[in-house]
Amino acid sequence: MTWSWVSNNWSLIWQLTKENAYLGVVSALIGLVISLPLGIVAARWRWFYPPTLTVVNVIYAIPALALFIALIPSLGLTDTNVIVALTLFSLCVIVPNVVAGLRAVPEPVRQAATAMGYGDLRRLVAVELPLAVPVIIAGLRVAVVSSISLATVGQLIGVSSLGYLFIDGLQRSFPTEIYVGMVLIIALAVACDLVLVGIRRVLTPWAVRS
């Protein structure tokens, strides 16, 4: 490790880290927004779930670089290209967790809410979704970590991220850049994961700690 390179290029490293975090976190959050209604519908009407899961699994099977390239004609070499692709990938992780979380709500709890005068929408918002939060956030945690990692591939189409350190380090046979990039990706993923764990604990103080 050439530590002087790190100190001399700190502004570049910080900028790349922020850009990588933006791509990964925003993609996963958009994926959550899309997955919630899809998961709610799939949990209510079971016939809807198998085709939905098939579609998102097929999308997840597409190599990230291939999807980035396929989106270039419509989205260009932009952050939006990477965000859209990573959002699609995140659906494969989050949608099943939304469905699993909602289906895990005990039927007696639903019946009790109905007996108290809760309509379908109120029961969903006030009872079912809060109880499903731990499972939903578990999926979001995986999606965020995956998106942060896959965002580095966007550098291959010119979208700035920590992937720059991998490519530049390889081209210059300078492993310090590669090691720094790896450490920062891991640190970024761990930091985001801890934030989500904290959010889950705030939202579900009654849940079992893990």
Side-chain angles (χ1 to χ4, degrees):
M1 287 286 288
T2 306
W3 294 108
S4 60
W5 179 88
V6 176
S7 59
N8 292 336
N9 293 274
W10 180 246
S11 60
L12 171 64
I13 294 172
W14 177 239
Q15 181 64 28
L16 294 174
T17 302
K18 290 191 296 182
E19 290 168 343
N20 205 110
Y22 169 77
L23 294 172
V25 173
V26 169
S27 301
L29 291 179
I30 296 174
L32 175 63
V33 171
I34 297 173
S35 296
L36 282 174
L38 285 177
I40 290 169
V41 172
R44 289 290 185 271
W45 294 281
R46 292 181 179 271
W47 61 267
F48 182 77
Y49 186 43
T52 301
L53 189 61
T54 298
V55 171
V56 295
N57 281 339
V58 168
I59 294 174
Y60 196 73
I62 302 173
L65 181 57
L67 186 54
F68 293 157
I69 293 173
L71 292 173
I72 289 176
S74 56
L75 300 176
L77 302 175
T78 63
D79 289 357
T80 303
N81 181 314
V82 175
I83 289 173
V84 168
L86 296 183
T87 296
L88 292 174
F89 288 141
S90 72
L91 299 181
C92 185
V93 179
I94 305 175
V95 170
N97 278 58
V98 173
V99 175
L102 291 173
R103 289 181 176 176
V105 176
E107 187 59 30
V109 173
R110 292 193 179 95
Q111 293 175 354
T114 301
M116 293 173 62
Y118 283 44
D120 289 344
L121 180 59
R122 185 182 177 193
R123 186 184 65 192
L124 172 67
V125 174
V127 178
E128 296 177 47
L129 281 176
L131 291 175
V133 162
V135 180
I136 295 173
I137 289 187
L140 182 60
R141 289 169 64 185
V142 176
V144 168
V145 171
S146 298
S147 296
I148 286 173
S149 177
L150 288 173
T152 61
V153 182
Q155 187 67 50
L156 293 174
I157 63 167
V159 176
S160 184
S161 68
L162 286 169
Y164 171 84
L165 299 179
F166 301 140
I167 296 173
D168 194 59
L170 178 63
Q171 292 176 338
R172 298 200 297 142
S173 297
F174 187 53
T176 294
E177 283 188 85
I178 298 173
Y179 296 146
V180 169
M182 290 174 60
V183 169
L184 289 175
I185 286 293
I186 294 171
L188 192 56
V190 170
C192 290
D193 189 63
L194 291 175
V195 169
L196 289 174
V197 169
I199 292 173
R200 185 205 64 191
R201 291 184 175 181
V202 169
L203 294 177
T204 60
W206 38 265
V208 176
R209 303 302 188 193
S210 62

